[in-house]
Amino acid sequence: MARLPRFFAPEIPLHIMLRGNDRKAIVGNDEDLLLLRTTLAAAAAKHGLRIHAYVFMTNHLHVLATPAKLDSAPKTMQGLGRTYVQYFNRRYRRTGTLWEGRYRATAIEAEAYLIQLMRYIELNPVRAGMVATAGDYAWSSFRANAQGAEDRMVSPHSVYQGISHDDQQRRD
């Protein structure tokens, strides 16, 4: 049976999730995480996918992003897969798919759910028991969104910016 086509609309935020095949690791060390981050950032910039929040876990990733065009999300994820999976397979002398099926991308209602989803994504390492506080985890957007750290991959959403005109109040 053929796959059903996905529907994406420009300017509608998406919760994108990609899990490792058999829930196995998609990264082996910080070097892998850096390449995963760099590859995603480059693909997103190239294809017009604005990333508002993200987290890279050992066996999956979450991204909250808004596509500028109909094909922004699919092209970004395709670019990530082409580059990162080849690297990972070469590095760890493996073959085949790294991902457990296709990525999931769910459209969200920004006004009602965006901030809650940002929290869910950025607190993932805390819930998993990997760190005591979200600020201790280097591979998420928490430091940019909640602590004001520089992260060129993060593009604040208008709902997030609308929390307050004061940067510190918004981060709090």
Side-chain angles (χ1 to χ4, degrees), residues 31-166:
E31 186 178 323
D32 297 346
L33 284 158
L34 181 59
L35 185 70
L36 179 63
R37 186 185 183 292
T38 302
T39 304
L40 178 60
K46 178 179 180 181
H47 299 292
L49 187 69
R50 293 185 312 278
I51 296 175
H52 313 302
Y54 68 89
V55 66
F56 303 138
M57 303 294 284
T58 55
N59 68 351
H60 69 283
L61 61 89
H62 292 272
V63 177
L64 170 60
T66 301
K69 302 175 287 188
L70 287 174
D71 65 353
S72 294
K75 293 283 187 187
T76 297
M77 299 310 289
Q78 183 181 51
L80 175 67
R82 279 188 179 149
T83 302
Y84 183 74
V85 173
Q86 285 181 7
Y87 154 82
F88 191 86
N89 282 349
R90 267 193 320 270
R91 179 177 178 125
Y92 295 101
R93 294 187 172 109
R94 59 182 305 280
T95 61
T97 185
L98 178 61
W99 312 123
E100 186 172 89
R102 297 166 76 191
Y103 66 93
R104 290 190 339 206
T106 306
I108 66 154
E109 186 179 334
E111 295 294 327
Y113 190 55
L114 188 117
I115 301 301
Q116 186 178 355
L117 181 57
M118 286 176 69
R119 284 187 189 123
Y120 170 80
I121 289 170
E122 293 175 347
L123 291 174
N124 213 287
V126 176
R127 282 191 309 279
M130 298 169 74
V131 291
T133 67
D136 294 338
Y137 194 72
W139 304 105
S140 84
S141 54
F142 180 85
R143 291 177 179 177
N145 287 323
Q147 297 176 331
E150 173 87 18
D151 188 335
R152 291 186 181 146
M153 190 162 75
V154 175
S155 173
H157 191 277
S158 60
V159 169
Y160 172 72
Q161 290 179 317
I163 291 172
S164 175
H165 293 293
D166 180 79

